[in-house]
Amino acid sequence: MVNLMMQHDQTVIYSCASCLGLVVNTLTHNYEIVRNCLNMYNGYLLCYKKLALNGQKEGIEKYHPIIKRSLYIVGMLMRFFDFTSKEVQGPFPDSTRDVVVDILLFYLQFKELQCFTLKAIGSICIQHCQLMLTPKLKTVYLEILCDPTPSFELKIQVLSNIEQYLQEEDGRLIKQDLKWTNLSKQEDLKEMGDVSAGMASTVVQLFIKEVLEAYFCPNVSVRQAVLRVVQLILQQGLIHPVQIVPYLICMTTDEEKTVRSNADRRLEEIERKYPG
């Protein structure tokens, strides 16, 4: 699987990383192979970062393909393996996760690499959602959502990162719910669920205003991405819908039919849940 990750596209890399995570985390616990893979691709990123810092920013353009692959693979490895765990870390320092994130943030300054970098950061945040609350990453997300000058692609990627996090968090909560009936310490499990849901709510509260304002964008893909995030927020009940309703009303006038109809359905659901 590691060899396949070195040769194929993002779809194959994702499948390999996901499968590797399942096999290693639940069966073999052979984290050395994971550490070696992370060390290699993060090493590439560190090497090219040093070149750029030494005044060779233009010179690293020819290395963009390997940098993009490295960004994506590092993001996937950090998504499926918890490098804050002693078992996964092995001889790696406790700061491994934070060092990797700092290296990724460095590559945001390169226009051609920005989307790949954001995608990698989003993958890490699925495993470590608290990173979205840190000043550096929070600022990056908010600036992209608020600033009218960034490309639509970057806005869509940030919204996609938030969407993926909410989807994964919802999946984790569903799995926890299934375990509750089989375990006796339900109060402890309830606390676990509350903590997880509480973190998702905190993340949403942090970005909700900027996410909603991002709807007022001429690009339909951005507006659709906003609506997908809003839909997940409402489904999971992470915030009271009162602050979302005005934006949903605006969405019912969207020129894109799928946006209009989806917004109408969300308003109908809110009306049923909160009559009057």
Side-chain angles (χ1 to χ4, degrees), residues 10 72 114-124 157 161:
Q10 292 183 33
Y72 191 73
Q114 286 176 331
C115 197
F116 274 82
T117 302
L118 285 172
K119 190 175 293 186
I121 289 171
S123 295
I124 296 176
Q157 188 58 58
N161 286 357

Side-chain angles (χ1 to χ4, degrees), residues 9-24:
D9 61 12
Q10 292 183 33
T11 304
V12 176
I13 292 172
Y14 171 83
S15 298
C16 289
S18 176
C19 186
L20 190 66
L22 184 63
V23 171
V24 175

Side-chain angles (χ1 to χ4, degrees), residues 26-249:
T26 60
L27 295 174
T28 68
H29 301 284
N30 180 16
Y31 292 108
E32 184 178 0
I33 190 173
V34 179
R35 289 192 292 268
N36 290 341
C37 189
L38 178 69
N39 194 46
M40 178 171 65
Y41 285 101
N42 194 53
Y44 290 150
L45 295 177
L46 184 58
C47 177
Y48 298 129
K49 176 183 177 180
K50 289 179 179 177
L51 285 178
L53 291 175
N54 289 332
Q56 301 181 48
K57 285 187 178 182
E58 295 181 0
I60 71 168
E61 289 183 5
K62 61 183 178 181
Y63 300 115
H64 278 185
I66 183 61
I67 293 175
K68 289 178 180 179
R69 179 176 293 275
S70 298
L71 287 168
Y72 191 73
I73 290 177
V74 166
M76 286 294 106
L77 291 174
M78 297 295 288
R79 171 177 177 172
F80 292 107
F81 297 95
D82 182 5
F83 277 87
T84 61
S85 162
K86 292 294 185 182
E87 184 180 12
V88 179
Q89 280 179 12
F92 283 12
D94 292 342
S95 60
T96 296
R97 182 199 65 185
D98 296 331
V99 169
V100 169
V101 172
D102 284 341
I103 293 174
L104 294 182
L105 288 172
F106 171 81
Y107 283 96
L108 280 175
Q109 64 184 286
F110 301 98
K111 187 174 181 180
E112 188 181 337
L113 302 174
Q114 286 176 331
C115 197
F116 274 82
T117 302
L118 285 172
K119 190 175 293 186
I121 289 171
S123 295
I124 296 176
C125 288
I126 290 174
Q127 177 75 247
H128 305 285
C129 58
Q130 64 271 27
L131 290 173
M132 286 187 279
L133 308 181
T134 60
K136 284 184 181 179
L137 189 50
K138 179 179 70 173
T139 300
V140 168
Y141 275 19
L142 292 178
E143 285 182 351
I144 291 174
L145 290 173
C146 294
D147 194 338
T149 56
S151 71
F152 298 142
E153 186 181 21
L154 296 184
K155 285 183 181 290
I156 292 169
Q157 188 58 58
V158 168
L159 291 165
S160 177
N161 286 357
I162 297 173
E163 178 188 1
Q164 287 182 47
Y165 161 67
L166 292 176
Q167 288 174 335
E168 290 291 325
E169 197 62 31
D170 192 40
R172 279 195 283 261
L173 289 173
I174 290 172
K175 289 179 181 178
Q176 284 182 1
D177 286 342
L178 293 174
K179 291 179 180 178
W180 285 355
T181 56
N182 299 322
L183 296 173
S184 58
K185 297 181 179 179
Q186 296 204 9
E187 289 188 7
D188 293 340
L189 284 172
K190 176 68 165 58
E191 290 177 6
M192 287 168 56
D194 287 346
V195 169
S196 187
M199 181 58 73
S201 180
T202 300
V203 170
V204 168
Q205 291 284 1
L206 185 63
F207 296 108
I208 186 61
K209 180 182 177 182
E210 288 73 19
V211 167
L212 292 172
E213 288 294 325
Y215 169 75
F216 300 109
C217 175
N219 184 279
V220 66
S221 295
V222 173
R223 301 200 302 274
Q224 289 172 331
V226 170
L227 186 52
R228 288 196 298 271
V229 173
V230 167
Q231 183 173 334
L232 286 169
I233 291 171
L234 292 173
Q235 286 175 349
Q236 297 177 33
L238 297 175
I239 61 173
H240 195 283
V242 65
Q243 58 186 305
I244 297 178
V245 168
Y247 293 89
L248 284 173
I249 293 173

Side-chain angles (χ1 to χ4, degrees), residues 215 217-221 223-224 250-261:
Y215 169 75
C217 175
N219 184 279
V220 66
S221 295
R223 301 200 302 274
Q224 289 172 331
C250 290
M251 293 177 192
T252 61
T253 66
D254 197 284
E255 61 183 18
E256 176 63 34
K257 183 179 179 180
T258 57
V259 175
R260 293 198 306 270
S261 58

